[in-house]
Amino acid sequence: AQSVTQLDSHVSVSEGTPVLLRCNYSSSYSPSLFWYVQHPNKGLQLLLKYTSAATLVKGINGFEAEFKKSETSFHLTKPSAHMSDAAEYFCVVSDQYNAGGTSYGKLTFGQGTILTVHP
Amino acid sequence: EAQVTQNPRYLITVTGKKLTVTCSQNMNHEYMSWYRQDPGLGLRQIYYSMNVEVTDKGDVPEGYKVSRKEKRNFPLILESPSPNQTSLYFCASSLSHTYNEQFFGPGTRLTVL
């Protein structure tokens, strides 16, 4: 069974300092991995995705994540935080399996990390 | 405009009164999914559908039903709602589940009294 653990429920940084949001996963297969962001009272927006191509993935708004299979991690980073980055971030793993000739896919979200950015 | 729509956006109901939350997408996506979002628990998948007539349980399917008779629609049915189903619900769709971005609806806030 697949699972996702976001190691920090809250992260607080000062504007202009680096951001690190940690995500570990477990998967029986070769997963796809995603990071989504949710601003207050808004829907979810894709930041970036890993789909077995380059292990360092660049996303929108200066975010990037590195897939490390040996560590089963997919941490999200940004060199310099901006006030507008304050939001909740979700790490997501997607597995695919076959049963009875049909392909199924299940997505599992982490519990979320709330990022606070101080002036 | 490419979008996922959900209706209603807000609903207050009473225990045991059957309800349906509709979800529709206009992007010809194969994969559709329902999630509930609760504080501290992130989003948990309720049911998903790989394509028309193909559905499967997610992590928290108890108390919910779905159907996928048409590609664009994926309604969520609560036959007998209970207070523990009070939550924020999101519908999402994507071309497929593995490589493609999921597009989320605006959410439905459900309160069961």
Side-chain angles (χ1 to χ4, degrees):
Chain A
Q2 64 191 38
S3 66
V4 178
T5 302
Q6 292 183 239
L7 297 165
D8 307 291
S9 58
H10 291 82
V11 170
S12 181
V13 302
S14 297
E15 191 174 22
T17 64
V19 175
L20 170 64
L21 306 183
R22 298 181 294 166
C23 173
N24 286 353
Y25 71 92
S26 69
S27 171
S28 304
Y29 306 95
S30 295
S32 297
L33 293 157
F34 307 81
W35 276 98
Y36 283 83
V37 60
Q38 185 180 31
H39 288 92
N41 300 312
K42 301 283 188 184
L44 284 88
Q45 180 185 18
L46 179 70
L47 273 180
L48 50 79
K49 62 183 179 184
Y50 166 77
T51 56
S52 74
T55 56
L56 182 62
V57 181
K58 294 189 184 300
I60 61 171
N61 300 333
F63 284 94
E64 61 182 40
E66 186 171 7
F67 173 71
K68 291 187 177 180
K69 187 174 182 178
S70 60
E71 299 176 11
T72 60
S73 69
F74 191 57
H75 301 334
L76 182 70
T77 60
K78 182 173 181 177
S80 177
H82 192 273
M83 295 296 290
S84 61
D85 295 329
E88 188 163 17
Y89 293 79
F90 295 96
C91 182
V92 184
V93 63
S94 170
D95 255 345
Q96 180 172 334
Y97 65 96
N98 298 302
T102 300
S103 177
Y104 292 87
K106 184 170 174 294
L107 284 93
T108 302
F109 279 67
Q111 301 91 331
T113 298
I114 295 173
L115 175 65
T116 302
V117 182
H118 298 287
Chain B
E1 179 189 355
Q3 60 182 348
V4 178
T5 57
Q6 294 178 229
N7 282 292
R9 294 289 313 280
Y10 302 90
L11 179 60
I12 300 174
T13 189
V14 296
T15 299
K17 186 176 181 181
K18 180 179 179 179
L19 66 92
T20 299
V21 184
T22 65
C23 173
S24 183
Q25 50 93 6
N26 61 1
M27 295 168 279
N28 201 35
H29 284 169
E30 292 191 345
Y31 187 86
M32 296 187 74
S33 184
W34 276 103
Y35 301 88
R36 60 178 290 173
Q37 183 176 22
D38 302 289
L41 297 177
L43 275 80
R44 293 178 292 169
Q45 194 173 42
I46 302 171
Y47 270 96
Y48 63 94
S49 171
M50 303 293 283
N51 212 327
V52 175
E53 303 293 0
V54 180
T55 63
D56 199 10
K57 297 176 180 178
D59 291 316
V60 288
E62 293 77 20
Y64 304 94
K65 285 176 58 178
V66 293
S67 68
R68 186 93 180 272
K69 295 184 178 4
E70 307 166 279
K71 199 171 189 178
R72 63 182 293 129
N73 297 321
F74 191 46
L76 179 70
I77 303 159
L78 284 72
E79 294 271 4
S80 182
S82 62
N84 64 12
Q85 293 178 298
T86 293
S87 187
L88 178 59
Y89 291 86
F90 287 100
C91 179
S93 74
S94 62
L95 280 172
S96 75
H97 74 288
T98 49
Y99 301 118
N100 301 105
E101 173 184 2
Q102 286 202 73
F103 291 83
F104 283 83
T108 295
R109 187 165 291 282
L110 172 66
T111 301
V112 183
L113 302 175

